[in-house]
Amino acid sequence: MSKWVWKGLRTGKKTTLYPHAPETAVGVSPGLPQLEPESTPNDPCFCPSGAIGREGEIAQLDMRRCLHCFRCVRSADQRAGWQEGYEWAAAKQPDTNEEGGLGSAFRHSVHIRTVDAGACDACISEVKQIGKPYYNIHRLGFFITPTPRQADVLLVVGPVPDNMAFSLKKAYDAMPTPKAVIAVGACALTGSVFGPSFNCGSGVADVVPVDVEIPGCPPPPLAVIHGLLVAVGRKPSAPLVFKGGPMQERSGL
């Protein structure tokens, strides 16, 4: 590597500084809603995907269902905040392995197989960016492989309709162990607006076990990179469910 390219990598001129430093470029993340303990949004019917709901009388935010529609912050009578971060990924069982999903054996050389399980192409478009010069996951020890037989991580997007369930399970079974599955996007996590339905379940976990979840519709490339780092224990897991204050009923309804 030439000294000019190396200098560019270190200063962030050619490649993002994340995860060694926060990304400060504009527009790298659409952000997610935020509920503070004192937040008191009105009736959750305003959230089209059901990301904001209630548990008893308490407001609850499930980031796995968020579609970034901004309805919760743009309505005058709603009281939800918005956070611009991108470290959204969560390990489903963070306490089972103190070193993360794959552990130290794969910290510096992880091969990834991507599976499009009925996605609309939004998540796939973001996932493609992680291998391009600005994000350049190779510098972190992550590599894309065309076959699950050489993959350590299965990166799955889409709600997994019935016609894709067999193919996804077959790809998972072909992987050597140890292995991890990362579900990317609201569809892969919950089925989103497509499932459960007559030809679609509630996401990837209905077909294969999921180790890391990355919310977003779609999640930005930095969120995908954070998910990979969580899977191998190089970044801490983030919470996906938050509680706010008591819900208020809308007047006149």
Side-chain angles (χ1 to χ4, degrees):
M1 181 182 294
S2 72
K3 66 178 182 179
W4 303 114
V5 174
W6 175 242
K7 182 180 179 181
L9 290 174
R10 295 196 61 184
T11 58
K13 293 180 180 177
K14 301 294 183 182
T15 303
T16 176
L17 290 176
Y18 182 80
H20 305 297
E23 174 57 71
T24 58
V26 177
V28 297
S29 170
L32 284 172
Q34 186 172 17
L35 285 185
E36 299 295 342
E38 65 276 8
S39 297
T40 56
N42 291 325
D43 192 89
C45 66
F46 72 90
C47 182
S49 65
I52 297 180
R54 64 167 75 228
E55 184 179 279
E57 295 301 317
I58 302 299
Q60 180 170 284
L61 166 65
D62 185 352
M63 294 206 303
R64 294 172 297 183
R65 303 197 67 89
C66 180
L67 304 179
H68 315 292
C69 71
F70 292 91
R71 190 172 178 182
C72 57
V73 293
R74 288 176 175 167
S75 297
D77 60 345
Q78 307 305 333
R79 301 178 184 177
W82 198 262
Q83 53 96 2
E84 302 294 338
Y86 44 78
E87 291 192 329
W88 303 339
K92 295 201 71 173
Q93 296 180 324
D95 298 329
T96 57
N97 184 344
E98 63 181 9
E99 292 186 323
L102 291 176
S104 59
F106 293 94
R107 282 197 171 180
H108 300 291
S109 180
V110 177
H111 287 76
I112 305 159
R113 169 61 178 165
T114 302
V115 175
D116 181 351
C120 68
D121 203 38
C123 288
I124 281 290
S125 177
E126 298 298 297
V127 168
K128 286 179 180 177
Q129 302 304 314
I130 66 176
K132 294 183 179 180
Y134 189 75
Y135 296 103
N136 186 21
I137 57 171
H138 297 168
R139 67 196 163 93
L140 302 174
F142 298 113
F143 305 91
I144 303 297
T145 179
T147 170
R149 298 188 184 279
Q150 298 175 359
D152 307 301
V153 171
L154 203 61
L155 203 65
V156 189
V157 300
V160 195
D162 292 347
N163 65 334
M164 277 299 300
F166 175 77
S167 298
L168 175 59
K169 184 64 164 60
K170 191 174 180 180
Y172 177 79
D173 290 341
M175 296 171 66
T177 56
K179 56 188 173 183
V181 175
I182 301 179
V184 181
C187 291
L189 270 54
T190 65
S192 190
V193 297
F194 302 104
S197 64
F198 69 96
N199 71 337
C200 183
S202 300
V204 177
D206 285 358
V207 181
V208 296
V210 172
D211 298 283
V212 176
E213 297 179 314
I214 306 176
C217 186
L222 289 174
V224 178
I225 293 175
H226 178 248
L228 292 169
L229 295 171
V230 168
V232 297
R234 290 161 60 183
K235 278 285 186 177
S237 176
L240 291 180
V241 178
F242 298 88
K243 296 185 184 298
M247 297 290 288
Q248 298 177 358
E249 298 295 340
R250 287 186 173 186
S251 59
L253 293 180

